């Protein structure tokens, strides 16, 4: 439990200047915390490596590799030193290559989802569930219905690749997906 709290604190500091895309620009850290809550509270998962990696899942993607940030390699090294190799492996497995065009990143998520380690599948399930809930309840101001529908459809495609990984999390995803905009 101490490690998970440490990971949440680390992520809170790393994401402290970042905001979500909803119109109130809520703090970004709410999203990693939502993943930990879905996994631990709603799905009863108590694997500390998975919970730590969920808290840290956007660290490399959003807090490293740009000007004024640690390099990707330095960020990976920091995660390794502080949280260990299994946590780094899970974060790596859910990190997109931001140097690729968006369409290619989205395509690769679909292609890779079925082949990542089990813990990474759990994090993906929680990530997509949290994003669909946010899109239904607090959509980005500039996302018309078709863009929200596209995200729902793409998220469903990703999750189709890893079905069977965790039926309880899949049921939570399905409940969130049932709110796809008309
Ligand atoms: N629903 C929602 N998403 C938000 C919000 N703020 C930031 N995001 C992030 O935006 C991405 C979805 O927006 P897109 O337009 O599809 O992708 P983009 O950010 O790469 O352009 C998701 O990350 P991703 O890495 O592209 O996809 P994913 O792997 O996290 O699903 C999601 O985590 C918000 O308020 N609501």
């Amino acid at each position: 439990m101490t490690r998970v709290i440490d990971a949440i604190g680390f992520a809170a500091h790393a994401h402290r200047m970042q905001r979500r895309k909803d119109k109130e620009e809520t703090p970004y850290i709410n999203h990693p915390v939502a993943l930990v809550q879905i996994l631990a509270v709603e799905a009863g998962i108590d694997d500390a490596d998975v919970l730590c990696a969920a808290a840290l899942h956007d660290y490399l993607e959003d807090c490293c590799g740009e000007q004024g940030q640690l390099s990707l390699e330095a960020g990976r090294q920091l995660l390794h030193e502080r949280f260990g190799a299994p946590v780094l492996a899970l974060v790596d497995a859910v990190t997109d290559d931001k140097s690729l065009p968006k369409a290619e990143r989205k395509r690769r998520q679909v292609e890779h989802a079925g082949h990542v380690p089990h813990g990474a599948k759990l994090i993906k399930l929680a990530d997509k569930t949290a994003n669909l809930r946010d899109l239904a309840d607090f959509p980005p101001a500039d996302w018309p219905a078709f863009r929200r529908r596209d995200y729902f459809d793409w998220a469903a495609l990703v999750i189709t690749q890893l079905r069977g990984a965790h039926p309880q999390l899949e049921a939570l995803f399905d409940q969130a997906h049932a709110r796809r905009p008309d």
Side-chain angles (χ1 to χ4, degrees):
M1 167 139 112
T2 310
R3 289 176 66 223
V4 179
I5 293 170
D6 193 31
I8 293 171
F10 180 99
H13 180 75
H15 290 291
R16 68 193 178 283
M17 303 306 286
Q18 298 169 353
R19 297 284 178 270
R20 295 286 284 169
K21 293 174 177 170
D22 61 286
K23 63 174 182 294
E24 291 176 302
E25 300 182 357
T26 47
Y28 197 86
I29 188 61
N30 291 359
H31 173 64
V33 170
L35 265 66
V36 177
Q37 197 171 24
I38 289 169
L39 291 163
V41 181
E42 298 185 47
I45 290 162
D46 62 2
D47 181 324
D49 287 335
V50 170
L51 299 179
C52 285
L56 299 165
H57 80 282
D58 275 333
Y59 172 68
L60 296 175
E61 217 171 280
D62 294 339
C63 306
C64 299
E66 301 280 334
Q67 210 175 9
Q69 298 177 332
L70 286 186
S71 70
L72 216 44
E73 254 333 289
R76 295 184 68 253
Q77 203 176 325
L78 187 56
L79 290 186
H80 186 266
E81 280 163 14
R82 184 111 176 228
F83 300 102
V87 170
L88 173 60
L90 289 173
V91 176
D92 270 339
V94 298
T95 297
D96 286 352
D97 180 349
K98 285 217 312 197
S99 69
L100 296 171
K102 178 170 166 173
E104 177 62 11
R105 279 193 281 120
K106 298 276 173 192
R107 193 191 67 73
R108 285 191 184 202
Q109 277 212 35
V110 176
E111 189 179 281
H112 294 157
H115 308 290
V116 296
H118 180 70
K121 291 180 182 173
L122 306 184
I123 295 167
K124 274 191 173 289
L125 276 158
D127 191 14
K128 297 294 181 272
T129 300
N131 277 338
L132 294 193
R133 288 177 181 177
D134 281 353
L135 276 181
D137 293 327
F138 315 104
D142 57 347
W143 280 34
F146 79 83
R147 187 163 175 194
R148 283 180 273 142
R149 279 196 295 271
D150 281 356
Y151 190 90
F152 270 70
D153 294 346
W154 169 75
L157 217 52
V158 173
I159 295 307
T160 300
Q161 315 305 313
L162 50 75
R163 290 266 174 198
H166 196 285
Q168 200 178 340
L169 276 175
E170 288 159 43
L172 293 172
F173 173 83
D174 291 338
Q175 280 165 23
H177 191 271
R179 301 177 67 203
R180 181 182 183 273
D182 295 326

